Amino acid sequence: MHTTVGIIGGGPSGLLLARLLHRAGIASVVLERHDRAYVEQRQRAGILEQSTVDVLRHCGAGRRLDAEGLVHDGVELRFAGRRHRVDFPALTGGKRVTVYAQTEVVKDLVALQLAEGDPLLFEAEVHAVEGVDGDRPVIRYTREGRESTLTCDYVVGCDGYHGVARRAVPDGASTTHERTYPYSWLGILAQAPPAHEELVYAHSGRGFALASMRSPEVSRLYLQVPNGTDPADWPDERVWDELDARLALNAEPGAALVRGPVTQKSVLPMRSSVTEPMRFGRLFLAGDAAHIVPPTGAKGLNLAAADVVILARALSHWSTTGSAELLDSYSDTCLRRVWRAEHFSYFMTTTLHVDPDQSSFETRLQLSQLERITSSPHAAAELAENYCGLSL
Ligand code: APR
Ligand code: PHB
């Protein structure tokens, strides 16, 4: 089999790229190792920047997003017994974000691709990518027990942090910059109304907590926990009690979350990582295959969408003019945005979490920084602009 663009991975990056290429009249094949149900149920963040919403609408995946997405004009910060709202439109000249789960974005893109796109092959496990420094790279994969090859003009690794694409880059041709964090998140999905009408990011001496949502009936809640935490050590009542303790305010003694059945519970590690450049020969990396952020600030999906928009434009330019100019600048163009989001995610993470080794001096610095955001429109605007994202 031959195609113009071979895409490894059917997560948000691979699916959106395939969709954008289809609209540009460029053939592609997506190879995804898991089955459809697995890909559609994987829980991830759920905050879309305006530019991500615009791209999804533009490529025909906006119908359910427009009907069910919740537009949010701000977030609340809670710390030291205080609450402060960051008003996005007022601070950014009108920007806002949309709450719409990544699972739903993936379902919409899968349905479109299967209905009218190029091949999207589930349960197709890629084990090697060869010849990316030549003219005709080859992807080797196994499906239904059979080994097959896909030759391509270009290969795009959209296969996430643990994917195979990155391994096709020879040693020494790329550099990975990484940071791990001394804590993880315990996340639950619950049939319970959201804690507040907007997202709440809470700093507390007991650790960070985040109250997010999926709909007016479904909450998504997170607690900072030590690395290596077993979700089995966190029965539902313990999770709710800890959320109450961390999200509570001195001003509102006894204020408690409305509890409901917990339908999902898992522990997520926190890591920052960037591999650069994001291109080697005819291989491009996009989304989590090239970079990951800790979830504080919800940048992962938005960065993935930005990468594939930039790549689809570059491939379209190459296909219509024969010029590789935009393909050559792909990595630099993406990395400017990637490093900004890396810094923001790191800033949000380290300002709001309690490092088990942190001194009282460092805690005072965190509180001073949060205080600054509540008292200076410049500091608040810096947070709001980064949260709402750069224009594409
Ligand atoms: N062969 C085929 N598919 C593979 C292989 C392989 N060898 N290795 C990985 N995959 C698939 C995975 O099964 C997964 O579906 O690649 C896909 C990668 O998807 P994601 O990890 O979701 O990465 P990406 O599409 O870049 O999405 C980025 O997801 O991790 C979140 O926060 C992140 O929201 C961001 C978004
Ligand atoms: C989520 O809703 O899952 C979410 C929201 C905001 C974040 C991280 C995760 O910063």
Side-chain angles (χ1 to χ4, degrees), residues 9 11-13 32-34 42 44 102 124 126 158-159 288 300-301:
S13 310
E32 165 56 50
R33 62 145 49 118
H34 289 294
R42 200 164 31 194
R44 297 275 174 74
Q102 182 170 313
V126 172
C158 292
D159 49 350
D288 277 17
L301 174 60

Side-chain angles (χ1 to χ4, degrees), residues 17-89:
L17 177 62
R19 185 72 199 150
L20 292 168
L21 293 179
H22 175 70
R23 292 183 65 96
I26 298 173
S28 72
V29 172
V30 179
L31 302 169
E32 165 56 50
R33 62 145 49 118
H34 289 294
D35 63 15
R36 180 177 180 178
Y38 178 94
V39 169
E40 290 185 344
Q41 273 156 38
R42 200 164 31 194
Q43 287 299 324
R44 297 275 174 74
I47 304 294
L48 307 186
E49 295 174 5
Q50 188 58 52
S51 60
T52 306
V53 170
D54 292 343
V55 169
L56 290 168
R57 277 194 194 130
H58 163 79
C59 73
R63 197 182 47 78
R64 228 159 48 88
L65 165 62
D66 284 330
E68 296 172 26
L70 308 170
V71 175
H72 279 202
D73 282 352
V75 292
E76 186 167 285
L77 300 177
R78 290 190 190 172
F79 62 99
R82 297 173 46 194
R83 54 201 289 182
H84 176 81
R85 177 166 188 261
V86 180
D87 181 330
F88 295 153

